Amino acid sequence: MKITKNYLNIPIGYQARMKLVEIEANGQKQREFPAQLAEDSVNYWIYINVEEFKGQRITLSCPASRESMDRIYQSDEIAGSDSIYQEKYRPQYHFTVKRGWSNDINGPIYLNGQYHLFWQSFPFGLSWNTGFMYWGHAVSSDLIHWEELPPALRLDTLGSPWSGTAIIDKNNDAGFGKGALLLFYTAYDRVSFKQVQCIAYSLDEGKTFQRFQGNPVIDSNWEMGTTHTRDPKVFWHEPSTHWVMVLFEKNGMSFYNSRDLRNWEKQSHFEGLFECPDMFELSVDGDDNNKKWVLHGGSSEYYVGSFDGREFLPETEKLRYAEGTSSWGDLLYASQSFENMPDDRRVQIAWARVEPKGMPFTQMMLFPTEFLLKTTDRGVVLTANPIHEINQLHQKEYIWKGLSAEEANRKMAEVNEGPLHVRMKFTLDEGNTFRLYYQGNSLIELSSDELLSGENQLEILLDKTIAEIFLNSGERYITRQLPLARHADGLVFESFKYGPKISMLEIYEMKSIWKINNF
């Protein structure tokens, strides 16, 4: 076919066998991807952007019937675009992809007025295929409203681009150009299973990316005796004036140094954390004269310690900053924090391992939170709280003061169903239990010995399929997948067993972050 439109729409069947689709142009294979090409009934449609082939003739090939191939069609609109972002279980203020699968956060960064969010993307179905992952890409001016763009990285000869990080090369240390946006990522070869570290760069503020011809820049598979070498996190360490790469290798995190971002030397290895590292320095209790480093892995496990640019020395036991599980294990996974923030906040965003059934997309991102280091009776811990930009999404507000649990239930019955943001302050007598339900299901249960003896603070984000709960300024961060089977009741306290005394209760109905039919 001759390409004259922006998209190819491809029919998908839940029961269809996964088959390899190839696109050829100018006598060369340009792309290949697996898809459950529908042979009979169509359950949903995926799309691929083919703008780069406009005006050219391409050949589509797949070991499928001609009838199923003939249903693939060109359009300037995504099939089903009239319902995108309005589906029954589509979160309304948490980021989700238009179609397909998303997982690990990759290299979030701020550049010239735009926040860039990257992630592991499999846009061809509802379960990942590690040999065909892309880097998804979206941009935002406010960390709240996101516009999904074409993928930043697709497969190349070294394999599938797995997780990594993004930096701005302000001084042209790598030689690609001053101010270049660099992506460090793991290339995974689905035949040999090798995992090697690579660079891609952009000279147009992230609109397009080119691969470094000298890739890979690190291949440590033989040295480490394993193919499990992945997820580079790269940052500049000012005191030692060199670049640092934290790389998951075998059983922990390895630390590499470089002056030119191309040639790397290993310095040390730290055992005890698993994949997807993030690392950053924060002031303790806001004191710039007392800073500590945080190192965490794929889950919410982390250590607080010191770092000289070469070796990390923990000063705490292994800690966790989030709670909550899904069918995958930890609900929060593979978080990353934004680099080059204009206000020096350490803002992170995480993959939420949530599967809304019957949707043309799966998985989601948790709401961005700001990290702080705080001294508590447990020592110095990492706290997480929703970023203040959430206030932009407030619509109708309900504010009450001085309520018993029974009075709060009567007031909350006035609140409309839908995505909500809740803030409250309360006390609970010793020996009692705080229980809050949402749409007939238990949302949170806290005994008095889990709470402060005086006033406690609670903040709750409620969206389709997800709840995020922050207790006492983020000293506890609890994630919950909301059951799909629920009734019309909203928020309800269990009040007949000495419920909480509520000094302040604020509930906000939330705007959607989505611009409907904006492609």
Side-chain angles (χ1 to χ4, degrees):
M1 63 176 72
K2 183 177 181 180
I3 297 298
T4 60
K5 307 289 186 181
N6 292 336
Y7 305 109
L8 285 182
N9 287 304
I10 302 172
I12 300 297
Y14 290 143
Q15 303 303 317
R17 184 168 60 88
M18 192 72 80
K19 298 171 183 176
L20 196 63
V21 181
E22 295 185 353
I23 298 179
E24 183 180 295
N26 300 317
Q28 305 252 339
K29 182 171 68 177
Q30 302 292 329
R31 294 191 209 168
E32 59 178 356
F33 56 89
Q36 290 176 286
L37 192 61
E39 293 285 356
D40 39 50
S41 61
V42 178
N43 293 109
Y44 67 100
W45 293 79
I46 63 170
Y47 70 94
I48 59 172
N49 189 303
V50 289
E51 289 180 85
E52 66 184 278
F53 302 120
K54 270 191 175 179
Q56 301 180 49
R57 295 195 68 82
I58 69 166
T59 299
L60 282 174
S61 59
C62 179
S65 68
R66 183 58 187 248
E67 291 76 18
S68 62
M69 293 287 286
D70 283 344
R71 288 195 285 190
I72 299 174
Y73 71 97
Q74 296 186 61
S75 178
D76 285 327
E77 291 190 352
I78 297 168
S81 61
D82 57 340
S83 63
I84 287 182
Y85 301 134
Q86 302 175 77
E87 298 94 340
K88 183 177 182 180
Y89 297 124
R90 172 79 70 172
Q92 288 302 296
Y93 65 99
H94 289 76
F95 180 80
T96 49
V97 294
K98 294 173 186 173
R99 292 284 186 266
W101 167 280
S102 59
N103 59 294
D104 300 4
I105 306 296
N106 295 160
I109 195 166
Y110 177 83
L111 175 61
N112 296 338
Q114 275 195 324
Y115 298 93
H116 292 258
L117 177 64
F118 305 96
W119 64 90
Q120 286 291 283
S121 168
F122 182 72
F124 313 113
L126 300 179
S127 60
W128 63 3
N129 187 313
T130 54
F132 293 90
M133 302 302 290
Y134 287 179
W135 268 45
H137 188 194
V139 293
S140 171
S141 62
D142 61 6
L143 286 170
I144 300 290
H145 301 88
W146 294 96
E147 178 188 357
E148 187 175 342
L149 303 177
L153 297 177
R154 298 187 178 94
L155 278 67
D156 71 352
T157 55
L158 289 175
S160 173
W162 278 11
S163 292
T165 192
I167 63 163
I168 299 167
D169 187 5
K170 297 179 180 178
N171 297 315
N172 195 25
D173 291 339
F176 301 122
K178 191 172 183 178
L181 175 59
L182 272 58
L183 306 183
F184 285 81
Y185 66 94
T186 299
Y188 168 71
D189 187 311
R190 67 181 186 269
V191 176
S192 69
F193 309 119
K194 284 194 69 169
Q195 300 171 18
V196 296
Q197 315 320 313
C198 300
I199 302 174
Y201 62 94
S202 173
L203 303 178
D204 56 9
E205 300 186 346
K207 295 180 179 66
T208 60
F209 289 90
Q210 303 175 61
R211 255 65 172 224
F212 172 41
Q213 292 302 304
N215 283 337
V217 294
I218 296 178
D219 178 354
S220 57
N221 285 214
W222 179 261
E223 173 198 344
M224 296 301 297
T226 180
T227 58
H228 294 287
T229 59
R230 58 181 176 270
D231 311 332
K233 166 69 179 183
V234 176
F235 59 90
W236 175 255
H237 187 256
E238 183 61 35
S240 56
T241 64
H242 59 228
W243 292 96
V244 174
M245 179 189 291
V246 189
L247 184 67
F248 172 70
E249 292 185 318
K250 193 173 185 175
N251 60 358
M253 304 304 177
S254 294
F255 294 87
Y256 288 78
N257 288 168
S258 176
R259 301 286 182 190
D260 63 4
L261 292 164
R262 300 185 182 200
N263 299 285
W264 295 87
E265 294 183 1
K266 185 180 290 187
Q267 305 297 318
S268 62
H269 184 76
F270 178 81
E271 295 183 8
L273 293 170
F274 181 69
E275 69 181 14
C276 300
D278 196 7
M279 190 174 187
F280 45 84
E281 188 179 35
L282 286 174
S283 300
V284 179
D285 301 321
D287 181 1
D288 289 340
N289 294 314
N290 182 19
K291 292 186 175 182
K292 298 293 181 183
W293 283 87
V294 175
L295 173 66
H296 76 71
S299 68
S300 67
E301 294 178 336
Y302 70 97
Y303 292 89
V304 178
S306 60
F307 182 61
D308 63 1
R310 293 175 174 82
E311 184 179 12
F312 175 76
L313 298 176
E315 298 174 3
T316 66
E317 62 183 2
K318 187 187 292 185
L319 303 169
R320 296 180 72 93
Y321 71 85
E323 307 165 39
T325 59
S326 72
S327 59
W328 286 73
D330 287 346
L331 190 150
L332 179 153
Y333 203 76
S335 69
Q336 288 288 303
S337 57
F338 282 83
E339 293 295 340
N340 198 46
M341 287 288 287
D343 52 10
D344 293 327
R345 287 183 296 169
R346 183 56 59 171
V347 172
Q348 69 96 35
I349 189 167
W351 166 30
R353 301 201 279 193
V354 170
E355 300 180 72
K357 301 298 183 183
M359 295 291 100
F361 66 94
T362 188
Q363 314 300 304
M364 59 185 293
M365 308 308 176
L366 292 169
F367 195 81
T369 56
E370 181 178 359
F371 278 149
L372 295 172
L373 281 178
K374 180 179 177 181
T375 303
T376 71
D377 56 7
R378 296 182 291 131
V380 176
V381 301
L382 193 62
T383 65
N385 286 285
I387 57 173
H388 63 76
E389 286 87 348
I390 194 171
N391 296 331
Q392 298 176 30
L393 300 177
H394 289 173
Q395 293 193 109
K396 187 174 181 180
E397 64 178 31
Y398 305 82
I399 300 177
W400 303 286
K401 295 182 179 180
L403 301 174
S404 67
E406 293 91 338
E407 291 168 333
N409 285 343
R410 288 194 291 271
K411 296 293 187 182
M412 291 189 298
E414 303 170 13
V415 179
N416 293 323
E417 182 183 359
L420 300 173
H421 182 202
V422 181
R423 293 178 177 137
M424 71 176 74
K425 296 179 181 179
F426 68 95
T427 58
L428 188 72
D429 291 340
E430 186 176 352
N432 292 345
T433 301
F434 177 104
R435 292 186 179 92
L436 183 62
Y437 297 84
Y438 180 62
Q439 294 186 331
N441 297 291
S442 176
L443 182 62
I444 184 170
E445 180 173 319
L446 299 166
S447 63
S448 60
D449 59 8
E450 296 178 84
L451 299 169
L452 302 176
S453 58
E455 188 171 71
N456 293 267
Q457 299 175 341
L458 188 65
E459 186 165 6
I460 306 172
L461 312 187
L462 290 167
D463 204 347
K464 303 284 186 72
T465 73
I466 189 71
E468 298 182 69
I469 301 164
F470 304 84
L471 180 65
N472 291 326
S473 301
E475 289 188 26
R476 286 183 68 181
Y477 174 25
I478 304 166
T479 58
R480 289 285 309 275
Q481 181 171 352
L482 295 177
L484 300 184
R486 51 202 192 213
H487 56 62
D489 283 355
L491 291 161
V492 177
F493 288 106
E494 182 183 83
S495 58
F496 60 88
K497 290 186 179 178
Y498 312 103
K501 299 179 180 68
I502 301 158
S503 58
M504 185 276 293
L505 176 58
E506 300 177 359
I507 302 178
Y508 300 91
E509 296 174 10
M510 301 293 277
K511 301 174 188 174
S512 173
I513 64 173
W514 305 117
K515 295 180 180 178
I516 306 303
N517 295 331
N518 177 29
F519 304 112

